[in-house]
Amino acid sequence: MTDIIVNTVDKPGVLPTDEKLGFGKIFTDHMFVMDYETGKGWHSPRIIPYGEFAFVPATIVFHYGQAIFEGMKAFRAANNQIAVFRTKQYLNRFNRSAGHLCIPPIDVEEVQAGLFKLLELEKDWIPGTLGTSLYIRPFIISTDSYIGVKVASTYKLFIILSPVGAYYDTGFNPVSIKVEDKYVRATKGGLGQAKTPANYALSLSAQAEAHNEGFDQVLWLDAVHRKYVEEVGTMNIFFKIKGEIITPELSGSILGGITRHTVLELAQNWGVKATERQISIEEVYDAHAKGELEEVFGTGTAAVISPVGELSWKGQKIKINNNQTGEFAKKLFDFVTGVQYGSVPDEFNWMDKVKG
C-alpha cells in the first residue's frame, strides 16, 4: 500500500459536550483525501487539516452530479476501545454505488487503512456516552473542468468525520409517517440502489410537505404502480405481521442497507421468520384492520432502528402498537447498539477495532 502522508493542524480542537453535538454539524480537525486520474488510478493518499477546497466553476460535478457517498459510524466502548461497525460492508456498498455512477472503484483495504489511520489521529473526537458516536462520511466527486455530459477522468475521494448525538431529537420513540402518493423516490433501472446525492435532493419536496403537515417522515411507494412499499425517508422499512418480519425485496430501486442486512441476519439467528418480498400499502392497512400488524420500524446507519407509531395514507391514519415502540424493534435496537458500544458480545464479528 502507498504510504499515507499526514499533515496535522497546529492547534487541535476540542470535542464539545454531548448536548452540543447534534447531528452532522461539528467536524474533526482532519480529513482523508485521495485523487484519481485515468491511467494512473487512485493515488496520493493523505491526511490533511479539515478545510475548504478550491474548485473552478466548470468542475463537472457541479453540473452533472457524478458523485457518491457513504455513511458509517465509529464507537468508543467502556474500555476505551475504538471500533467501526461493519467497515468492509459499507466500503463494498460504496463500490457498488461507484459502479452505478461510472466512478472508478476503490481498493477497499487501502481506503480502510486510510480511514483507520485518520481515526487513530482523531480518537479524542470520539464521544463515549450511549447514543453518541463518530459519524464517518466518505464521498467521491468528479473533478474534470468541463461543461459537457461525459464520464469524468479525474476524481477526489474524501473522508470527513463528525461527532454526533442521537439522529432524532425525540430519541428512540415512534415517529409519524405520511405515505407518499404524489412524489416518487426511484424506479427500477434508475439510481435508487446507489447512494448518490441526486436521490436525496429528489426527496426534499415530499419531505418538506410532510413536515408542514406535521409528519416526521414519508413512506415511499413504487414509481410504477404507486402501491408497493419501498423505503421510509432515507431508511429501509420493516413490518411485523403475525410474528413474521417482512421487508421490501431489493429489486433495483431500493438501497440495500447495512443495518437492514444486520436485522435480517439477527432474525434468522433468533429463529424469527423474515421475508424479503413485495408488500403493498393495502396489505399493510388490511393487516392493521385485522389486528395482525404488530410493529413497523425503519433501519439505517444514523438512527439504527426507528419505530413507526403512525401511518397516514390518503387521509386515513392508523396507529401501530398503540404508538408504542414494539418489543422486536426494542430488542433489535438494544442488541445492535449493545454490540456497537461493547456491552453485548460481538458474536458476529461486526466491530473492526482501531489501534490507539
Side-chain angles (χ1 to χ4, degrees), residues 8-17 21 26-31 48-50 76 121-126 134 161 163:
T8 58
V9 296
D10 294 329
K11 186 178 180 181
V14 178
L15 176 69
T17 54
L21 289 178
I26 298 163
F27 299 93
T28 68
D29 292 321
H30 302 91
M31 58 185 176
I48 61 175
Y50 177 89
R76 183 186 299 277
L121 181 65
E122 302 287 62
K123 61 182 182 295
D124 291 340
W125 282 94
I126 305 175
L134 187 73
L161 308 175

Tab-separated table of all heavy atoms in Angstrom, residues 8-17 21 26-31 48-50 76 121-126 134 161 163:
chain	number	residue	atom	x	y	z
A	8	THR	N	-0.709	17.639	10.007
A	8	THR	CA	-1.634	17.909	11.117
A	8	THR	C	-1.822	19.406	11.359
A	8	THR	O	-1.021	20.240	10.932
A	8	THR	CB	-1.120	17.261	12.415
A	8	THR	OG1	0.180	17.770	12.707
A	8	THR	CG2	-1.039	15.756	12.254
A	9	VAL	N	-2.888	19.733	12.063
A	9	VAL	CA	-3.177	21.125	12.426
A	9	VAL	C	-2.206	21.583	13.514
A	9	VAL	O	-1.656	20.767	14.261
A	9	VAL	CB	-4.628	21.283	12.929
A	9	VAL	CG1	-5.612	20.955	11.833
A	9	VAL	CG2	-4.893	20.421	14.151
A	10	ASP	N	-2.008	22.888	13.603
A	10	ASP	CA	-1.122	23.435	14.634
A	10	ASP	C	-1.754	23.355	16.020
A	10	ASP	O	-1.075	23.072	17.009
A	10	ASP	CB	-0.780	24.900	14.308
A	10	ASP	CG	0.042	25.028	13.038
A	10	ASP	OD1	0.816	24.101	12.749
A	10	ASP	OD2	-0.107	26.050	12.335
A	11	LYS	N	-3.074	23.595	16.081
A	11	LYS	CA	-3.760	23.611	17.371
A	11	LYS	C	-5.021	22.756	17.281
A	11	LYS	O	-6.011	23.161	16.671
A	11	LYS	CB	-4.132	25.042	17.762
A	11	LYS	CG	-4.723	25.156	19.167
A	11	LYS	CD	-5.028	26.600	19.515
A	11	LYS	CE	-5.623	26.699	20.917
A	11	LYS	NZ	-5.957	28.097	21.265
A	12	PRO	N	-5.005	21.556	17.858
A	12	PRO	CA	-6.174	20.676	17.784
A	12	PRO	C	-7.400	21.285	18.455
A	12	PRO	O	-7.297	22.048	19.422
A	12	PRO	CB	-5.728	19.413	18.533
A	12	PRO	CG	-4.234	19.480	18.547
A	12	PRO	CD	-3.885	20.930	18.580
A	13	GLY	N	-8.571	20.946	17.907
A	13	GLY	CA	-9.823	21.389	18.509
A	13	GLY	C	-10.189	20.512	19.691
A	13	GLY	O	-9.458	19.589	20.064
A	14	VAL	N	-11.336	20.799	20.287
A	14	VAL	CA	-11.783	20.072	21.482
A	14	VAL	C	-13.189	19.531	21.232
A	14	VAL	O	-14.052	20.237	20.699
A	14	VAL	CB	-11.788	21.000	22.720
A	14	VAL	CG1	-12.308	20.250	23.947
A	14	VAL	CG2	-10.393	21.552	22.982
A	15	LEU	N	-13.411	18.283	21.619
A	15	LEU	CA	-14.729	17.669	21.474
A	15	LEU	C	-15.744	18.414	22.332
A	15	LEU	O	-15.551	18.553	23.544
A	15	LEU	CB	-14.654	16.204	21.907
A	15	LEU	CG	-15.976	15.428	21.914
A	15	LEU	CD1	-16.484	15.213	20.494
A	15	LEU	CD2	-15.794	14.080	22.627
A	16	PRO	N	-16.845	18.887	21.736
A	16	PRO	CA	-17.872	19.570	22.533
A	16	PRO	C	-18.570	18.609	23.494
A	16	PRO	O	-18.474	17.386	23.354
A	16	PRO	CB	-18.852	20.079	21.469
A	16	PRO	CG	-18.112	20.030	20.177
A	16	PRO	CD	-17.146	18.891	20.309
A	17	THR	N	-19.289	19.150	24.450
A	17	THR	CA	-20.079	18.330	25.359
A	17	THR	C	-21.238	17.686	24.586
A	17	THR	O	-21.641	18.173	23.515
A	17	THR	CB	-20.641	19.166	26.514
A	17	THR	OG1	-21.369	20.278	25.971
A	17	THR	CG2	-19.517	19.700	27.392
A	21	LEU	N	-23.664	18.401	20.545
A	21	LEU	CA	-23.261	17.652	19.360
A	21	LEU	C	-24.266	17.758	18.206
A	21	LEU	O	-23.891	18.070	17.080
A	21	LEU	CB	-23.033	16.176	19.719
A	21	LEU	CG	-21.801	15.878	20.569
A	21	LEU	CD1	-21.724	14.391	20.889
A	21	LEU	CD2	-20.527	16.328	19.856
A	26	ILE	N	-20.792	19.354	13.489
A	26	ILE	CA	-19.444	19.582	14.012
A	26	ILE	C	-18.496	18.605	13.326
A	26	ILE	O	-18.851	17.436	13.137
A	26	ILE	CB	-19.414	19.387	15.539
A	26	ILE	CG1	-20.341	20.398	16.216
A	26	ILE	CG2	-17.995	19.497	16.088
A	26	ILE	CD1	-20.703	20.042	17.638
A	27	PHE	N	-17.295	19.068	12.961
A	27	PHE	CA	-16.354	18.211	12.240
A	27	PHE	C	-14.986	18.231	12.913
A	27	PHE	O	-14.606	19.195	13.570
A	27	PHE	CB	-16.259	18.651	10.780
A	27	PHE	CG	-17.582	18.552	10.076
A	27	PHE	CD1	-18.440	19.645	10.017
A	27	PHE	CD2	-17.997	17.352	9.532
A	27	PHE	CE1	-19.682	19.545	9.410
A	27	PHE	CE2	-19.236	17.238	8.924
A	27	PHE	CZ	-20.080	18.333	8.858
A	28	THR	N	-14.277	17.131	12.764
A	28	THR	CA	-12.987	16.980	13.427
A	28	THR	C	-11.911	17.793	12.719
A	28	THR	O	-12.152	18.427	11.696
A	28	THR	CB	-12.578	15.497	13.478
A	28	THR	OG1	-12.299	15.045	12.144
A	28	THR	CG2	-13.685	14.645	14.070
A	29	ASP	N	-10.698	17.742	13.235
A	29	ASP	CA	-9.602	18.582	12.741
A	29	ASP	C	-9.073	18.174	11.367
A	29	ASP	O	-8.533	19.007	10.633
A	29	ASP	CB	-8.417	18.536	13.725
A	29	ASP	CG	-8.735	19.201	15.046
A	29	ASP	OD1	-9.420	20.247	15.035
A	29	ASP	OD2	-8.308	18.673	16.095
A	30	HIS	N	-9.200	16.896	11.017
A	30	HIS	CA	-8.525	16.390	9.820
A	30	HIS	C	-9.464	15.601	8.921
A	30	HIS	O	-10.537	15.181	9.351
A	30	HIS	CB	-7.348	15.494	10.223
A	30	HIS	CG	-6.334	16.173	11.081
A	30	HIS	ND1	-6.421	16.141	12.462
A	30	HIS	CD2	-5.247	16.904	10.772
A	30	HIS	CE1	-5.409	16.833	12.967
A	30	HIS	NE2	-4.678	17.300	11.966
A	31	MET	N	-9.039	15.394	7.683
A	31	MET	CA	-9.781	14.564	6.739
A	31	MET	C	-8.798	13.775	5.878
A	31	MET	O	-7.625	14.150	5.740
A	31	MET	CB	-10.697	15.412	5.860
A	31	MET	CG	-10.007	16.496	5.048
A	31	MET	SD	-11.223	17.515	4.163
A	31	MET	CE	-10.152	18.739	3.404
A	48	ILE	N	-5.001	15.535	5.890
A	48	ILE	CA	-4.723	16.977	5.933
A	48	ILE	C	-5.741	17.657	6.846
A	48	ILE	O	-6.766	17.068	7.190
A	48	ILE	CB	-4.776	17.601	4.521
A	48	ILE	CG1	-6.170	17.415	3.905
A	48	ILE	CG2	-3.701	16.969	3.620
A	48	ILE	CD1	-6.331	18.110	2.554
A	49	PRO	N	-5.481	18.897	7.247
A	49	PRO	CA	-6.469	19.613	8.056
A	49	PRO	C	-7.815	19.746	7.330
A	49	PRO	O	-7.850	19.981	6.121
A	49	PRO	CB	-5.814	20.979	8.276
A	49	PRO	CG	-4.351	20.705	8.195
A	49	PRO	CD	-4.211	19.655	7.130
A	50	TYR	N	-8.890	19.567	8.072
A	50	TYR	CA	-10.224	19.775	7.518
A	50	TYR	C	-10.355	21.241	7.112
A	50	TYR	O	-10.015	22.141	7.880
A	50	TYR	CB	-11.281	19.434	8.577
A	50	TYR	CG	-12.707	19.693	8.138
A	50	TYR	CD1	-13.431	18.717	7.486
A	50	TYR	CD2	-13.320	20.920	8.391
A	50	TYR	CE1	-14.739	18.945	7.086
A	50	TYR	CE2	-14.620	21.158	7.993
A	50	TYR	CZ	-15.337	20.168	7.334
A	50	TYR	OH	-16.624	20.402	6.943
A	76	ARG	N	-16.916	4.395	20.794
A	76	ARG	CA	-15.979	4.238	21.903
A	76	ARG	C	-16.644	3.359	22.957
A	76	ARG	O	-17.681	3.742	23.527
A	76	ARG	CB	-15.600	5.587	22.506
A	76	ARG	CG	-14.558	5.482	23.631
A	76	ARG	CD	-14.326	6.831	24.307
A	76	ARG	NE	-13.824	7.818	23.369
A	76	ARG	CZ	-12.544	7.952	23.017
A	76	ARG	NH1	-11.640	7.134	23.521
A	76	ARG	NH2	-12.174	8.889	22.172
A	121	LEU	N	-5.698	9.218	14.587
A	121	LEU	CA	-5.308	10.615	14.796
A	121	LEU	C	-6.406	11.401	15.511
A	121	LEU	O	-6.125	12.273	16.341
A	121	LEU	CB	-4.998	11.259	13.435
A	121	LEU	CG	-4.554	12.718	13.432
A	121	LEU	CD1	-3.207	12.896	14.142
A	121	LEU	CD2	-4.453	13.237	11.995
A	122	GLU	N	-7.663	11.076	15.213
A	122	GLU	CA	-8.799	11.847	15.725
A	122	GLU	C	-9.513	11.148	16.882
A	122	GLU	O	-10.664	11.459	17.178
A	122	GLU	CB	-9.809	12.061	14.582
A	122	GLU	CG	-9.250	12.763	13.361
A	122	GLU	CD	-9.010	14.237	13.581
A	122	GLU	OE1	-8.186	14.563	14.461
A	122	GLU	OE2	-9.622	15.065	12.891
A	123	LYS	N	-8.839	10.228	17.571
A	123	LYS	CA	-9.505	9.418	18.603
A	123	LYS	C	-10.122	10.254	19.717
A	123	LYS	O	-11.132	9.863	20.310
A	123	LYS	CB	-8.544	8.388	19.183
A	123	LYS	CG	-7.315	8.939	19.878
A	123	LYS	CD	-6.420	7.805	20.371
A	123	LYS	CE	-5.197	8.322	21.108
A	123	LYS	NZ	-4.294	9.096	20.230
A	124	ASP	N	-9.548	11.419	19.998
A	124	ASP	CA	-10.092	12.251	21.073
A	124	ASP	C	-11.411	12.916	20.690
A	124	ASP	O	-12.083	13.509	21.542
A	124	ASP	CB	-9.072	13.328	21.469
A	124	ASP	CG	-7.854	12.739	22.168
A	124	ASP	OD1	-7.954	11.603	22.668
A	124	ASP	OD2	-6.800	13.399	22.196
A	125	TRP	N	-11.789	12.826	19.411
A	125	TRP	CA	-13.049	13.400	18.936
A	125	TRP	C	-14.205	12.405	19.042
A	125	TRP	O	-15.347	12.736	18.711
A	125	TRP	CB	-12.913	13.841	17.481
A	125	TRP	CG	-12.200	15.140	17.286
A	125	TRP	CD1	-10.881	15.329	17.027
A	125	TRP	CD2	-12.786	16.447	17.316
A	125	TRP	NE1	-10.597	16.672	16.897
A	125	TRP	CE2	-11.760	17.376	17.071
A	125	TRP	CE3	-14.092	16.922	17.522
A	125	TRP	CZ2	-11.977	18.748	17.024
A	125	TRP	CZ3	-14.314	18.293	17.475
A	125	TRP	CH2	-13.273	19.195	17.230
A	126	ILE	N	-13.929	11.179	19.477
A	126	ILE	CA	-14.973	10.156	19.505
A	126	ILE	C	-15.639	10.151	20.876
A	126	ILE	O	-15.012	9.801	21.874
A	126	ILE	CB	-14.389	8.766	19.185
A	126	ILE	CG1	-13.646	8.807	17.842
A	126	ILE	CG2	-15.499	7.720	19.158
A	126	ILE	CD1	-12.926	7.523	17.494
A	134	LEU	N	-19.073	8.642	16.386
A	134	LEU	CA	-18.372	9.447	15.385
A	134	LEU	C	-18.900	9.024	14.021
A	134	LEU	O	-18.685	7.888	13.582
A	134	LEU	CB	-16.861	9.230	15.456
A	134	LEU	CG	-16.053	10.174	14.550
A	134	LEU	CD1	-16.039	11.593	15.120
A	134	LEU	CD2	-14.615	9.671	14.384
A	161	LEU	N	-15.145	13.428	9.265
A	161	LEU	CA	-15.649	12.831	10.499
A	161	LEU	C	-16.442	13.854	11.297
A	161	LEU	O	-16.050	15.024	11.378
A	161	LEU	CB	-14.485	12.321	11.361
A	161	LEU	CG	-13.468	11.390	10.691
A	161	LEU	CD1	-12.322	11.100	11.659
A	161	LEU	CD2	-14.135	10.100	10.238
A	163	PRO	N	-18.459	14.117	15.144
A	163	PRO	CA	-19.014	13.575	16.392
A	163	PRO	C	-20.500	13.934	16.478
A	163	PRO	O	-20.886	15.081	16.245
A	163	PRO	CB	-18.201	14.270	17.487
A	163	PRO	CG	-17.673	15.519	16.846
A	163	PRO	CD	-17.520	15.230	15.389
